[in-house]
Amino acid sequence: MLRRIFVHEMQSNANLDAFYAIRRNQVKKSIKDVYGKNGTTIDVRMLAYSTVINMMTSMFWGGTLEGDIGANINAQFRDAVSELLIIWGKPNISDFFPFLASFDIQGIQGDMKRASRWMEKIFDFVIDPRTKNNTNISNNDFLDFLLEFKDHETGKSLSRPQIKALSCGVVSPFNYVLSSLLYYMSPPWQNLSPLLVIYFVCSIFNGQDIVIGGTGTTSTSFEWTMAELMLHPEVMKKTQEELTKVVGDANVVEEYHFHKLPYLQAVVKETLRLHPSAPLLLPRCPSQTCTLGGYTIPKGAKVFLNAWAMHRDSQLWENPYEFRPERFVGDSNKLDFSGNKFHYIPFGSGRRMCAGLHLGERMLMYTLATFLHMFHWKVPDGEKPDTGEKFGIVLEKSTPLIVLPTPRLNNLKLYH
Ligand code: HEM
């Protein structure tokens, strides 16, 4: 039910359009920040992460949290998310030897509980004033939507735990079983079976959460795209020329420009082919024993689909290791993010596919188009970006991308 509300109601086109001004404001703030640092290098990962998390928090509860208190809560929230992600990614010995779990030898369970309580408090702090004051002032954010939501059929509202679960997820201690496993399965990914890797584990992502799920994936995809563009100056040139032609030197990018930017869309698709942010997607679990692609999959087994390997399979892709956005331009197979063509599934496929697809796509396209249109990007002299991967729930670049941006448009007022 929560998935349905999030995918179909909160992310309807009308709602996403309604929240556009909020996203736009946050990107404008980041533009101003980058402009202010003119002449100095910036860390693209930090830029992407702070822009995306600011967009997410403003869409969720932005309306009420202004001024110092707002800044403080948003900063605390960012810290809590970062901490949860770190704890989540730690391999835990208790997952391999469950009889040790009650000792919590590495203290991971304790840390996770502490971080979760911290997160809960932040949510209470934000929700309380809205429920207590009982005012009809509309803040126009996701939280308003959730507090006012009534199911069409039953007329029921959402409870507070449901609201929190939907906003930030139930970060169950079991969740990090997955990351621990992934850690031990570390690259080279080629060694994994190209289609299916079966794992008999006792757990699964219980509550992949929206804010955490949405920030790492989107900001990592941003960084990978920038890295590939820095490595392929001819593609960067073509992308910026397209932006100049469609948007114009005297204007800033708007979401309505997207459909006129097929080359940038191809660049994003090609980046997500080579660097899918969730390389093994989320695990599946068949309700009956079945045979698929010659493998017998027992009922209850956890199945990981290796999207990373499928996206680089030479039987499915020509020169799979080459970064070549042209393969998606005028593409006769119409490869999109819907997950219907199984050799291209950066947002997954089927009933568990990314719940934030439309929002994620909009945020990624908007931030990329805006930053590429407004700045020239250069790596500091003598340096070359690499495409090494760091293993984790989200597939990050192993080293942060450090770049030197300079304004690209003549009208400097557009940067304020
Ligand atoms: C470029 C951005 C993003 C990428 C590449 C991405 C990718 C993915 C992938 C591959 C999955 C697993 C799908 C599967 O196993 O079939 C997933 C799940 C999920 N994503 Fe995203 N995602 C992105 C942005 C977002 C955003 C912005 C949100 C929230 C606002 C979000 C929320 C979720 C949730 C809640 C799930 C779990 C769905 C479920 O368990 O039913 N994602 N995402």
Side-chain angles (χ1 to χ4, degrees):
M1 182 189 75
L2 294 180
R3 192 186 151 102
R4 178 174 55 79
I5 295 171
F6 182 62
V7 175
H8 298 295
E9 314 252 3
M10 283 164 79
Q11 280 184 97
S12 65
N13 265 335
N15 262 340
L16 289 182
D17 286 347
F19 294 129
Y20 172 49
I22 298 180
R23 293 192 292 279
R24 195 173 184 268
N25 257 342
Q26 294 306 326
V27 173
K28 264 181 101 174
K29 278 186 195 160
S30 295
I31 292 287
K32 199 174 161 192
D33 274 2
V34 173
Y35 178 72
K37 291 185 185 140
N38 200 358
T40 52
T41 54
I42 60 157
D43 179 336
V44 174
R45 181 173 304 173
M46 295 315 294
L47 168 68
Y49 183 72
S50 61
T51 309
V52 173
I53 202 158
N54 285 342
M55 280 198 263
M56 297 288 282
T57 47
S58 327
M59 275 186 290
F60 272 93
W61 58 53
T64 38
L65 288 177
E66 295 298 339
D68 289 347
I69 297 183
N72 182 327
I73 279 292
N74 285 334
Q76 281 208 36
F77 184 74
R78 268 196 303 276
D79 292 347
V81 171
S82 308
E83 188 157 334
L84 277 172
L85 281 175
I86 292 167
I87 304 169
W88 202 357
K90 278 186 188 165
N92 188 354
I93 196 157
S94 307
D95 299 325
F96 302 96
F97 305 101
F99 62 92
L100 293 175
S102 53
F103 300 107
D104 187 22
I105 292 172
Q106 295 152 275
I108 293 178
Q109 187 167 353
D111 288 346
M112 182 55 103
K113 280 185 180 160
R114 237 185 333 276
S116 302
R117 275 198 299 270
W118 185 16
M119 193 68 111
E120 290 249 332
K121 268 195 192 153
I122 298 176
F123 272 101
D124 283 332
F125 183 86
V126 181
I127 297 172
D128 275 347
R130 296 207 196 176
T131 47
K132 279 185 192 146
N133 294 346
N134 205 16
T135 55
N136 285 329
I137 300 169
S138 175
N139 299 289
N140 265 339
D141 49 31
F142 274 155
L143 187 54
D144 251 4
F145 177 92
L146 294 174
L147 289 168
E148 283 161 20
F149 178 83
K150 281 210 175 13
D151 192 277
H152 298 311
E153 284 156 25
T154 61
K156 275 190 180 166
S157 311
L158 294 170
S159 65
R160 184 176 287 220
Q162 280 176 320
I163 291 178
K164 284 188 198 166
L166 193 58
S167 312
C168 193
V170 185
V171 186
S172 120
F174 288 115
N175 279 337
Y176 48 84
V177 171
L178 176 66
S179 46
S180 317
L181 264 171
L182 296 183
Y183 181 86
Y184 285 108
M185 283 160 57
S186 47
W189 301 85
Q190 292 94 319
N191 293 344
L192 302 177
S193 149
L195 265 179
L196 303 168
V197 180
I198 305 166
Y199 264 84
F200 302 88
V201 294
C202 58
S203 181
I204 184 171
F205 261 70
N206 285 353
Q208 162 85 2
D209 44 89
I210 291 166
V211 178
I212 296 180
T215 26
T217 45
T218 312
S219 56
T220 301
S221 306
F222 181 97
E223 189 185 21
W224 278 118
T225 313
M226 292 300 284
E228 289 291 2
L229 289 175
M230 305 304 299
L231 281 166
H232 299 89
E234 71 296 347
V235 180
M236 171 72 98
K237 188 164 172 267
K238 230 171 138 177
T239 311
Q240 290 186 317
E241 280 171 3
E242 182 184 65
L243 283 160
T244 305
K245 198 169 138 216
V246 173
V247 180
D249 276 347
N251 304 312
V252 290
V253 175
E254 303 288 354
E255 281 190 353
Y256 60 71
H257 290 124
F258 291 174
H259 71 282
K260 293 188 201 149
L261 298 169
Y263 194 68
L264 177 61
Q265 285 179 19
V267 167
V268 170
K269 284 182 181 172
E270 178 68 341
T271 305
L272 292 177
R273 181 184 70 80
L274 281 171
H275 311 288
S277 36
L280 298 182
L281 309 185
L282 294 182
R284 265 67 180 169
C285 178
S287 51
Q288 295 197 357
T289 300
C290 55
T291 307
L292 193 61
Y295 295 84
T296 301
I297 306 170
K299 176 181 170 183
K302 299 294 176 285
V303 180
F304 290 86
L305 286 111
N306 192 347
W308 189 97
M310 288 150 80
H311 288 182
R312 291 170 182 235
D313 187 336
S314 57
Q315 290 180 8
L316 303 168
W317 303 91
E318 208 183 300
N319 299 325
Y321 286 84
E322 260 177 38
F323 179 77
R324 202 153 47 83
E326 280 68 18
R327 69 176 92 236
F328 287 100
V329 177
D331 155 39
S332 54
N333 288 320
K334 296 266 178 300
L335 285 177
D336 56 22
F337 296 138
S338 62
N340 293 331
K341 304 263 164 54
F342 295 139
H343 59 296
Y344 185 63
I345 47 173
F347 286 87
S349 181
R351 284 202 271 174
R352 297 303 300 275
M353 85 175 287
C354 177
L357 163 59
H358 299 298
L359 179 57
E361 192 183 354
R362 282 198 195 205
M363 289 197 297
L364 183 57
M365 277 291 288
Y366 184 57
T367 41
L368 276 170
T370 302
F371 281 107
L372 289 168
H373 183 55
M374 302 207 63
F375 294 96
H376 290 293
W377 301 88
K378 183 172 159 306
V379 280
D381 288 339
E383 287 188 27
K384 193 169 184 262
D386 66 280
T387 52
E389 296 166 336
K390 184 166 102 189
F391 197 72
I393 290 176
V394 171
L395 190 64
E396 287 188 332
K397 243 172 79 40
S398 56
T399 49
L401 177 66
I402 307 293
V403 286
L404 192 64
T406 45
R408 189 171 168 259
L409 307 180
N410 291 330
N411 182 358
L412 297 182
K413 282 192 189 135
L414 296 175
Y415 293 84
H416 292 286

